[in-house]
Amino acid sequence: MRFGSVGRAFAAGIFVAAIAAGAAAAQQRFPSSAGELIVETVASGLENPWGLAFLPDGRMLVTERPGRLRIVGTDGTLSRPITGVPSVMARGQGGLLDVALDPAFAENRLVYFSFAEPRSGGNGTSVGRGRLNEQGTALANVEVIFRQMPSIASNMHFGSRLVFDRTGALFVTVGDRYSQREQAQNPANHIGKVIRIRPEGGAPADNPKKQGWAPEVWSIGHRNVQGAALHPQSGQLWTAEHGARGGDEINTPKAGLNYGWPVITYGIDYSGAKIGEGTAKPGMEQPLFYWDPSIAPSGAAFYTGPVWPAWRNSLFVGALAGQMLVRLSTQGEAVTGEERLLTNIGERIRDVVQGPDGFLYLLSDDANGKVLRVRPAR
């Protein structure tokens, strides 16, 4: 781990009581700076779960990468797949990816989801939305509100996280598709970018208005962002981004700025070859923090709850290859320390969400994936 030069934050409307003991039978214990942690299994039997969002009643919407959206009950039961989800390209890293609720979900019941969309001549990351019926069994009036262009014939690097900002605009992270990394420096397309759109699609009026930039593009020079969250105090977007061999990054993407990939990076290619021109270049932003060797970050959430007061404003990031949960302490727009948690959990952590009960909920990326709950030992 090295420092650079310098969530999804989930606000629940209600406090959810502890999940039934039967759903939490499998427990593991881990040390931490805030005391012993218990990790318990809330639900299992999910095929490569990718994204998680809490419903107002405490149940969870969970995506499975093959293309299923389910509700996980507070007792850990899994619903039948919700109908209305479009066909997905479920190969390689592609499939049904993130899920987010509209900020006004209690009134409009709109659900947003990102997915690898099969298209003529290739595929790409797309964002859809639909209205969840009162029974929680179907999405109606489903429409695609964003399509990453151009389409590429690739099974790699789709991104993708969905985060609403405080204005109601939607951030969408999209990858460089692996084979197209040079296009991350081309602001006219959606390859390797952070995107910002209106909830109904299209670019907000306050997006960057730079010559040659596609109107939906917020920032450029990104490789494959799979973690994103708003800072609870500033409202600034923070992202966790995959590097190659080394060079996983924490960034705070700002309008109209260039985050360097693949011109500058703290990693090297998988072959061992150098990538780009070095680690810094004028006009390109430095990461707030980076990992070398890589941990493969996926899923991120700022902690704001009452359960661990000393951890408030910490950014929690899941690790796939690293198979752990990382806590980054922050001060303003700076990372001030790192704590590695659950280091022998033996699970690829795909998503991290703060629950309405103040505990942390994780998704394990596996053919028999789980929803895990992290709480203090009592």
Side-chain angles (χ1 to χ4, degrees):
M1 178 276 294
R2 301 174 186 168
F3 284 90
S5 64
V6 279
R8 287 176 301 180
F10 178 80
I14 61 172
F15 186 93
V16 175
I19 287 176
Q27 296 184 349
Q28 300 178 72
R29 292 174 177 262
F30 300 89
S32 84
S33 63
E36 191 176 39
L37 303 177
I38 287 179
V39 178
E40 50 199 9
T41 300
V42 172
S44 59
L46 292 156
E47 187 176 356
N48 298 106
W50 215 96
L52 183 156
F54 275 91
L55 292 164
D57 62 5
R59 296 180 300 163
M60 293 163 270
L61 279 176
V62 177
T63 62
E64 293 176 282
R65 196 157 49 79
R68 294 181 292 271
L69 177 64
R70 296 185 189 270
I71 292 178
V72 178
T74 56
D75 60 356
T77 57
L78 305 183
S79 75
R80 295 178 61 84
I82 293 170
T83 62
V85 177
S87 296
V88 307
M89 196 286 295
R91 295 195 303 273
Q93 297 175 356
L96 185 58
L97 304 173
D98 206 14
V99 61
L101 302 187
D102 191 279
F105 176 83
E107 291 76 43
N108 62 29
R109 300 193 62 83
L110 287 174
V111 173
Y112 296 74
F113 52 91
S114 59
F115 64 109
E117 183 183 41
R119 305 174 188 163
S120 175
N123 51 67
T125 302
S126 293
V127 178
R129 74 172 185 176
R131 199 175 307 276
L132 183 66
N133 66 1
E134 293 288 346
Q135 298 77 28
T137 59
L139 289 177
N141 308 119
V142 173
E143 57 182 336
V144 174
I145 60 169
F146 170 78
R147 286 185 167 94
Q148 179 190 36
M149 297 302 290
S151 300
I152 303 294
S154 171
N155 297 339
M156 305 283 281
H157 291 196
F158 293 90
S160 159
R161 291 294 170 189
L162 304 175
V163 178
F164 282 96
D165 71 14
R166 290 179 177 176
T167 74
L170 179 62
F171 284 113
V172 183
T173 70
V174 292
D176 69 353
R177 310 309 317 281
Y178 188 72
S179 63
Q180 304 296 310
R181 68 188 189 190
E182 301 300 329
Q183 291 300 312
Q185 288 294 313
N186 180 357
N189 64 38
H190 301 145
I191 305 298
K193 309 297 192 299
V194 171
I195 301 297
R196 184 170 176 262
I197 59 174
R198 299 192 305 266
E200 68 275 18
D206 57 346
N207 266 15
K209 296 181 177 64
K210 301 182 73 170
Q211 185 175 4
W213 283 49
E216 305 87 358
V217 171
W218 180 257
S219 59
I220 72 172
H222 299 282
R223 185 172 183 267
N224 193 21
V225 176
Q226 290 190 355
L230 290 190
H231 193 283
Q233 293 176 320
S234 67
Q236 169 64 44
L237 181 70
W238 288 50
T239 58
E241 181 168 345
H242 285 265
R245 283 179 55 186
D248 296 342
E249 297 181 355
I250 298 294
N251 287 302
T252 53
K254 295 182 175 64
L257 296 186
N258 184 345
Y259 289 82
W261 177 258
V263 179
I264 60 171
T265 177
Y266 286 88
I268 59 174
D269 217 335
Y270 297 110
S271 66
K274 179 182 176 181
I275 298 173
E277 301 177 14
T279 58
K281 186 174 182 177
M284 296 183 177
E285 305 303 307
Q286 285 290 300
L288 299 190
F289 181 90
Y290 68 92
W291 287 276
D292 187 10
S294 295
I295 65 165
S298 183
F302 278 100
Y303 188 72
T304 62
V307 177
W308 295 286
W311 286 355
R312 286 187 187 133
N313 300 324
S314 290
L315 181 67
F316 285 85
V317 180
L320 296 168
Q323 297 191 353
M324 60 182 163
L325 180 66
V326 174
R327 182 181 72 85
L328 299 177
S329 54
T330 71
Q331 184 67 43
E333 201 164 291
V335 174
T336 57
E338 180 193 44
E339 181 178 11
R340 298 189 171 197
L341 303 168
L342 321 185
T343 52
N344 60 342
I345 194 170
E347 301 277 8
R348 289 164 47 88
I349 305 303
R350 173 60 75 182
D351 201 9
V352 184
V353 177
Q354 180 183 313
D357 50 13
F359 302 138
L360 290 171
Y361 288 77
L362 316 177
L363 292 182
S364 69
D365 182 12
D366 188 75
N368 180 25
K370 305 176 185 69
V371 178
L372 304 172
R373 182 174 67 167
V374 183
R375 64 170 177 85
R378 302 200 189 282

